[in-house]
Amino acid sequence: GNSVTQMEGPVTLSEEAFLTINCTYTATGYPSLFWYVQYPGEGLQLLLKATKADDKGSNKGFEATYRKETTSFHLEKGSVQVSDSAVYFCALTDSGAGSYQLTFGKGTKLSVIP
Amino acid sequence: DTAVSQTPKYLVTQMGNDKSIKCEQNLGHDTMYWYKQDSKKFLKIMFSYNNKELIINETVPNRFSPKSPDKAHLNLHINSLELGDSAVYFCASSQGKVAGVQDTQYFGPGTRLTVL
């Protein structure tokens, strides 16, 4: 079946530090990959996505590249801000498996301190 | 205007009670979902409806029953609540059946259910 594994949190960084949150996946077909962000007390928002190998998704200074050879979709940001403090979820949909839903990783909590 | 709304935001109730959570989307989407987020923040799909038709029904107790009176609404009714049902429940919607590949899922703010 499909699964998503992301690094355990929490992650605490100082403002302007470099961020990497690792995400790897297993899928039976050809997945599309996503990062969602959940700010405190809110629902999930799509941060970025990539639908095929070597695609790079980017938004708000965050980037992730779809690496089929390593089955990874690591999230990066060059300089984090306090406002980036949130829980980040890696997720996939896999059209090859005929499934419609998002499969999420367990989330990584990021805290950015001034 | 809120795209996906849920009521109530907080729900505290006793074991054994029956409760409902309502969800509405004003995006004109065809597909709606219910997800459960446990205390460790793990998110898992429960149900999905496309144009009022059930298309995803994951392994959840049959005490949980979704109802879609029209494609803009997907309500979740829970019978005989148990302690383990305590969680945050998120509603979401997307334009098509194949969530994510062509469409973005838009999430509601969540309903925090606490069963005492």
Side-chain angles (χ1 to χ4, degrees):
Chain A
N2 299 335
S3 68
V4 176
T5 302
Q6 51 182 115
M7 62 189 286
E8 295 277 339
V11 174
T12 302
L13 295 173
S14 298
E15 213 166 14
E16 299 184 2
F18 185 86
L19 169 71
T20 301
I21 301 178
N22 290 337
C23 172
T24 57
Y25 66 89
T26 57
T28 54
Y30 306 97
S32 293
L33 302 173
F34 306 83
W35 279 99
Y36 276 82
V37 58
Q38 184 179 22
Y39 298 104
E42 298 183 14
L44 278 78
Q45 303 173 27
L46 179 69
L47 182 59
L48 53 85
K49 68 180 182 183
T51 57
K52 62 183 188 297
D54 299 325
D55 271 1
K56 178 187 282 188
S58 61
N59 186 24
K60 298 182 181 180
F62 291 88
E63 292 183 341
T65 301
Y66 188 144
R67 301 281 187 206
K68 190 175 179 183
E69 64 276 13
T70 54
T71 62
S72 65
F73 193 55
H74 304 321
L75 182 68
E76 296 182 337
K77 186 174 185 182
S79 176
V80 293
Q81 305 300 313
V82 172
S83 57
D84 294 326
S85 298
V87 181
Y88 292 82
F89 294 90
C90 187
L92 67 82
T93 55
D94 185 353
S95 60
S99 72
Y100 303 118
Q101 71 265 33
L102 284 164
T103 299
F104 285 93
K106 292 192 174 183
T108 302
K109 183 176 181 180
L110 170 66
S111 297
V112 180
I113 54 177
Chain B
D1 283 344
T2 304
V4 182
S5 59
Q6 296 178 227
T7 53
K9 190 167 184 179
Y10 300 97
L11 183 54
V12 181
T13 188
Q14 299 287 331
M15 259 193 328
N17 285 348
D18 303 338
K19 291 293 178 185
S20 291
I21 306 172
K22 295 184 177 181
C23 178
E24 176 181 3
Q25 54 94 3
N26 63 7
L27 298 167
H29 287 167
D30 291 337
T31 307
M32 297 184 72
Y33 311 81
W34 277 109
Y35 288 86
K36 179 180 180 180
Q37 186 177 45
D38 64 22
S39 58
K40 296 183 179 178
K41 297 286 191 183
F42 185 54
L43 269 159
K44 189 169 170 57
I45 185 78
M46 299 175 70
F47 302 102
S48 177
Y49 272 72
N50 177 263
N51 277 320
K52 304 196 311 178
E53 177 188 347
L54 181 66
I55 58 171
I56 296 172
N57 185 1
E58 290 297 297
T59 307
V60 298
N62 57 14
R63 299 181 293 103
F64 290 78
S65 53
K67 287 184 173 52
S68 183
D70 55 63
K71 73 174 191 177
H73 296 83
L74 181 62
N75 304 324
L76 183 65
H77 189 75
I78 315 170
N79 289 328
S80 303
L81 277 155
E82 300 178 357
L83 294 177
D85 298 332
S86 295
V88 181
Y89 292 85
F90 286 100
C91 178
S93 73
S94 67
Q95 181 57 49
K97 270 189 188 181
V98 187
V101 174
Q102 295 131 2
D103 312 301
T104 297
Q105 284 192 33
Y106 293 85
F107 283 77
T111 296
R112 182 175 293 277
L113 171 65
T114 303
V115 182
L116 303 175

